[in-house]
Structure formats: structure tokens, C-alpha cells
Amino acid sequence: MSLQRVRPFLLDLWDPFDNMFRSIVPSASSDSDTAAFANARIDWKETPEAHVFKADLPGVKKEEVKVEVEDGNVLVISGERSKEKEDKNDKWHRVERSSGQFMRRFRLPENAKVDQVKAGLENGVLTVTVPKAEVKKPEVKAIEISSIEKNAQSKASSLINPTQLNSSIRARKTQGNNVAREAQRVRPLCRLLGPFDGVFRSLVPAAASSDRDTAAFANARIDWKETPEAHVFKADLPGVKKEEVKVEVEEGNVLVISGESSKEKEDKNDKWRRVERSSGKFMRRFRLPENAKGDQVKAGLENGVLTVTCAQGRGEEA
């Protein structure tokens, strides 16, 4: 992780999710007990040897997570993300990260060895591995085919009625015309809904999609808290290594948090059953107030959570 002072490359601070996050992410209020369910994004990959689940749980400790198997073959991942301690003198500028209970349930296929499940939590990512059992191939018995081609042709010709066939063709054409007219009637409504289509594609990755280079920008949720001593930023970056993150201060006291979440290596024999986690580049920019000391910034990454602390003092002393 590096801290650098650089020249700005954008004059205006542009946050495309500023208004959107107000509807899907908790606003900066005193109530921060927001359900973390939406933040527990999970991928399910099937390899030749096992079913592998990976869940983004930044800031969650291993004692706060439970991995269980219910009803013989239902995998349950649950837990609780602790609420951060607050002080009455703290002032919240932005709240995007969530806290609270979460639970996800997955029905495992018959080939899963539910008695050999392993789980590990590292860098804010929970990995659950369920080995697969070898499935015996069913015995195949060859059936001798007798020569009945002539009898079949004679029976088929006696069953075909030309009048009925023409009536059936006309009915299908009429049905097709009705469907086309209905599509023309519905199309104007589709135009009205169109502007939101691209928005939601950028926010939520499609399940089991072949293109896994989804921008991780929306996943870099950040809280900004002002204490009497400093401005504190906390960003959820599950699975991101410290060398993949940059913390910079541009001219004009603009704090920039950027980096890239590496794409997981894939094998041609892997089969994706669910894809929710994202990978790719991310960047967030915040204009610091006059009381922030841009030359006294510290950053640390632990358990998938980046903490940036910027000391503050009176404007005339900075």
C-alpha cells in the first residue's frame, strides 16, 4: 500500500452513485444497524473435485461466522457483523457499509460429501469447500431394434389427414400474428423502463455469467466519520491485498482511494453455479474539509477493511 501526493486529473469530484446509494445504502444517520444480508455476496464454483463457496465478509471475525449443514444437504452460512462503537462527539459524513445479521442457504447436489466440509476465513473472504463423491455411471443395456420400418410408414400415412393438417397450419399462423400484435403493444412500455436496465447491470453482477470482469466500484463501500482528532475512512475491500490498493492526496485536499481486485484464476473444467462477487478496478474520491491535514494521512488494511486516518486541526494551523 502506498501513500502519495499527486496532481488532480479531474477538476470536479464525480460520484455517480451519490444519489443512487441513498435509496439502496443507509444514509448518514444515527441508525447504522442495517442488515448486512446484501453485503454477503457469494460465488459458488463446482470443480472436478469439490463445490467451492466464497463469501465477501469484510470486517467479520471467524467467531462471528457459522457454517452448518441442515436437513442432510442444505449448506447454511450465517453470522453477524458487529456494529462499530460510536462516540457522541463523532460526526458521520457518509455511511455505506452495513452491519447486522446475515444468512445464506444453498441446497447441495447428491454428489456433495456433507460430512467433509471445510471452511476458512482470510482477508475478509470466507471459503467453504465441500468435496464431491464419485458418481457411479448407470449400467447401459443395449436394446435390439427390429425391422419395422415398412409397418411404421403405412401406419403413419393412414393417420395423416390433409384437411386437418391445413387447418392446423392456419391456426398456427393466426396464433403467431396475435403474438406479434401483442409484442407491438408492449414495446412502448419497454422503452419507458429501458433507462434503468444499464444501471442495475452495473450494480449487481449477473448470476453464473461468463464475463466475471465486473467493475468492483459499487462494492467499495466507504464510511466517513469525523472525530474530534481526525477524519476516519473505512472501506470494505474483501479479498484485496495491500499492494493492490493506493491511497493518495491530490492537490486541493482530495483523498483518492483506488486499486484493483484481482480476478480469480479459472480452469476450463470449472462450472459456475452462482456469481455475485465482483472483480476489477475501483476508485473513490473525497474532498477533505479545511481542517484536514492532508500531509498527515495513515492507512492500514486488515481483514478486508481499509482504514484511512487523516489528522485534523484548525484551518489556520494546517
Side-chain angles (χ1 to χ4, degrees), residues 59-66 78-80 82 102 121 303:
V60 178
K61 302 176 183 178
K62 64 178 182 179
E63 56 268 21
E64 297 174 328
V65 187
K66 283 186 179 180
S78 62
E80 183 171 2
S82 301
F102 57 88
L121 183 62
N303 199 20

Side-chain angles (χ1 to χ4, degrees), residues 56-230:
D56 285 345
L57 302 177
V60 178
K61 302 176 183 178
K62 64 178 182 179
E63 56 268 21
E64 297 174 328
V65 187
K66 283 186 179 180
V67 179
E68 303 169 312
V69 177
E70 295 179 347
D71 301 329
N73 67 335
V74 177
L75 178 68
V76 182
I77 300 174
S78 62
E80 183 171 2
R81 184 176 185 178
S82 301
K83 178 182 177 182
E84 183 178 349
K85 293 182 180 180
E86 299 181 16
D87 187 90
K88 62 180 180 179
N89 296 319
D90 293 345
K91 177 182 177 182
W92 292 92
H93 288 274
R94 179 174 290 270
V95 178
E96 297 174 358
R97 301 165 65 239
S98 55
S99 63
Q101 296 180 347
F102 57 88
M103 184 179 72
R104 301 295 300 275
R105 304 171 77 247
F106 302 91
R107 186 173 298 279
L108 298 170
E110 295 181 359
N111 64 353
K113 293 183 178 181
V114 296
D115 58 338
Q116 299 182 22
V117 179
K118 295 182 180 180
L121 183 62
E122 184 180 4
N123 199 20
V125 177
L126 174 71
T127 302
V128 181
T129 304
V130 186
K132 291 167 56 176
E134 294 184 3
V135 180
K136 294 183 179 181
K137 295 182 179 180
E139 296 183 0
V140 179
K141 183 179 180 181
I143 306 298
E144 183 179 354
I145 301 175
S146 58
S147 179
I148 57 174
E149 183 179 354
K150 292 183 178 180
N151 293 334
Q153 289 179 352
S154 60
K155 289 182 180 180
S157 60
S158 63
L159 293 176
I160 297 176
N161 187 322
T163 303
Q164 294 179 349
L165 181 60
N166 292 334
S167 300
S168 176
I169 293 174
R170 286 195 297 271
R172 290 186 179 182
K173 287 183 177 180
T174 302
Q175 183 180 7
N177 293 335
N178 292 337
V179 172
R181 284 194 294 270
E182 184 66 16
Q184 291 291 337
R185 185 180 68 83
V186 174
R187 189 170 293 120
L189 178 60
C190 296
R191 294 195 191 101
L192 292 176
L193 298 179
F196 294 95
D197 184 55
V199 171
F200 283 105
R201 286 181 185 173
S202 64
L203 281 176
V204 183
S209 170
S210 58
D211 183 9
R212 305 195 67 249
D213 292 326
T214 309
F217 185 93
N219 214 19
R221 297 182 176 179
I222 297 179
D223 292 350
W224 175 4
K225 178 178 69 174
E226 180 180 351
T227 71
E229 298 79 23

Side-chain angles (χ1 to χ4, degrees), residues 41-45 104 106 200-214 266 271-278:
R41 295 182 176 178
I42 297 180
D43 291 351
W44 175 2
K45 178 178 68 173
R104 301 295 300 275
F106 302 91
F200 283 105
R201 286 181 185 173
S202 64
L203 281 176
V204 183
S209 170
S210 58
D211 183 9
R212 305 195 67 249
D213 292 326
T214 309
E266 300 181 17
K271 177 182 178 182
W272 292 95
R273 291 179 174 264
R274 179 172 291 273
V275 177
E276 297 175 357
R277 301 167 65 237
S278 57

Side-chain angles (χ1 to χ4, degrees), residues 10-18 217 283-285:
L10 289 176
L11 295 178
D12 298 325
L13 296 184
W14 177 64
D15 189 349
F17 295 95
D18 184 53
F217 185 93
M283 184 181 71
R284 301 295 300 274
R285 306 171 76 241

